[in-house]
Structure formats: C-alpha cells, structure tokens
C-alpha cells in the first residue's frame, strides 16, 4: 500500500518529500508514519497543514478508506547539542536573503508548496590577477574593443 502512495507522489514534483518517509503502521483507519533516519528534516513537510492534507488524501486513496494520519517526530541526534528546531530551521535573516534571490523566487513560483529547508552560502572566488605587459597594456584584453 505504501508503494502506491509513493508512486502517486512521484507524479507530482512538489510531493517528492514523501519518498523520505516510511509507513510504520496502518491499524484500522489510523496510519502512522515517520521520516527515515537520515531524513529527519522531512517531518517539517508533514507538519505543514497543506502537505499533510495531500499526504492523507494519497494514503486514503491507496487504502480505499478515509485515513487519520499520525506521525512520529524524530528526536535530535545524540551528537547534536542544538535543539531540533534550531538544528533544522534556517535563520530568519538567511531566509530573507534567500527569498530576495531571483532563482529562489522563480523556484517558489514554479513550486508554490516548496519550503526552504537549508541555505548554503558560497563565497565568490577572488578575481584572477591580470598580467600587464611592459607597455602597461593588458595582453588578455582585445585591443579593438
């Protein structure tokens, strides 16, 4: 039954996060899910009411009956001294910076249910030094320009 849910989710790119979950139990009309151990952050998608409703719909369709969804929220890793919230949620200032990026804006327009999960800052490499010839001109520049 869970394979049907995953197949249905594959048809919609905004539901790709479902692949990071496992169905723990299905007893009567109660389904219990949990994120895979290496994908603890996936529970944030389930906590989003819109995403949870979509998941309930997929599970109900696969089970052939209305389903109530429960989920096990993972505990922070033992080696992580930060709280789960701080460990998995980007800082608000970083989110605001990311939201000002044209690429992020476009991605959120294309995938309106998307959630910013992680932000990586990349430093721009320093410009390469230019060589000067004996007359002071730059040999790599086109003299006709």
């Amino acid at each position: 039954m869970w394979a049907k849910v995953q197949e249905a989710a594959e048809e919609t790119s905004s539901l790709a996060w479902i692949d990071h979950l496992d169905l723990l139990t299905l007893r009567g009309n109660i389904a219990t899910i949990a994120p895979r151990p290496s994908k603890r952050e996936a529970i944030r998608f389930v906590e989003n009411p819109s995403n949870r409703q979509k998941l309930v719909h997929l599970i109900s369709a696969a089970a052939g009956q209305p389903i109530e969804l429960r989920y096990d929220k993972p505990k922070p890793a033992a080696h992580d001294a930060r709280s789960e919230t701080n460990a998995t949620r980007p800082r608000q200032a970083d989110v605001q910076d990311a939201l000002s990026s044209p690429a992020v804006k476009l991605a959120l327009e294309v995938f309106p249910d998307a959630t910013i999960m992680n932000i990586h800052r990349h430093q721009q490499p320093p410009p390469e030094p230019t060589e000067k010839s004996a007359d002071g001109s730059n040999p790599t520049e086109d003299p006709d320009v």
Side-chain angles (χ1 to χ4, degrees), residues 40-41 44 73 76 80-92 94 117-119:
R40 293 182 4 220
E41 71 280 355
R44 290 182 55 205
K73 193 168 184 174
D80 191 353
R82 297 177 295 174
S83 72
E84 180 177 348
T85 302
N86 291 336
T88 59
R89 190 168 294 154
R91 292 184 338 199
Q92 188 63 30
D94 291 339
M117 294 293 294
N118 203 344
I119 299 172

Side-chain angles (χ1 to χ4, degrees), residues 45-107:
F45 288 100
V46 179
E47 291 172 336
N48 175 300
S50 174
N51 290 339
R52 188 171 46 252
Q53 183 179 13
K54 290 173 187 175
L55 181 57
V56 167
H57 175 75
L58 289 175
I59 296 172
S60 295
Q65 66 177 355
I67 294 293
E68 178 184 333
L69 182 66
R70 295 186 182 164
Y71 56 93
D72 286 348
K73 193 168 184 174
K75 294 173 179 43
H79 66 278
D80 191 353
R82 297 177 295 174
S83 72
E84 180 177 348
T85 302
N86 291 336
T88 59
R89 190 168 294 154
R91 292 184 338 199
Q92 188 63 30
D94 291 339
V95 171
Q96 292 303 321
D97 287 347
L99 290 172
S100 68
S101 163
V104 173
K105 286 179 185 178
L106 178 61

Side-chain angles (χ1 to χ4, degrees), residues 4-142:
K4 286 183 185 178
V5 171
Q6 290 177 314
E7 284 176 28
E10 286 176 3
E11 295 174 11
T12 307
S13 60
S14 66
L15 299 177
W17 52 270
I18 291 175
D19 195 40
H20 300 300
L21 303 171
D22 286 322
L23 177 66
L24 300 179
T25 61
L26 180 60
R27 293 194 179 106
N29 70 334
I30 299 174
T32 305
I33 61 166
R36 294 190 175 152
S38 64
K39 302 293 182 182
R40 293 182 4 220
E41 71 280 355
I43 205 68
R44 290 182 55 205
F45 288 100
V46 179
E47 291 172 336
N48 175 300
S50 174
N51 290 339
R52 188 171 46 252
Q53 183 179 13
K54 290 173 187 175
L55 181 57
V56 167
H57 175 75
L58 289 175
I59 296 172
S60 295
Q65 66 177 355
I67 294 293
E68 178 184 333
L69 182 66
R70 295 186 182 164
Y71 56 93
D72 286 348
K73 193 168 184 174
K75 294 173 179 43
H79 66 278
D80 191 353
R82 297 177 295 174
S83 72
E84 180 177 348
T85 302
N86 291 336
T88 59
R89 190 168 294 154
R91 292 184 338 199
Q92 188 63 30
D94 291 339
V95 171
Q96 292 303 321
D97 287 347
L99 290 172
S100 68
S101 163
V104 173
K105 286 179 185 178
L106 178 61
L108 291 174
E109 286 176 17
V110 173
F111 304 104
D113 293 332
T115 302
I116 296 176
M117 294 293 294
N118 203 344
I119 299 172
H120 296 276
R121 295 198 177 271
H122 297 282
Q123 292 181 340
Q124 296 292 328
E128 302 227 358
T130 58
E131 296 181 29
K132 299 274 184 187
S133 64
D135 66 0
S137 65
N138 188 340
T140 60
E141 292 179 355
D142 186 354

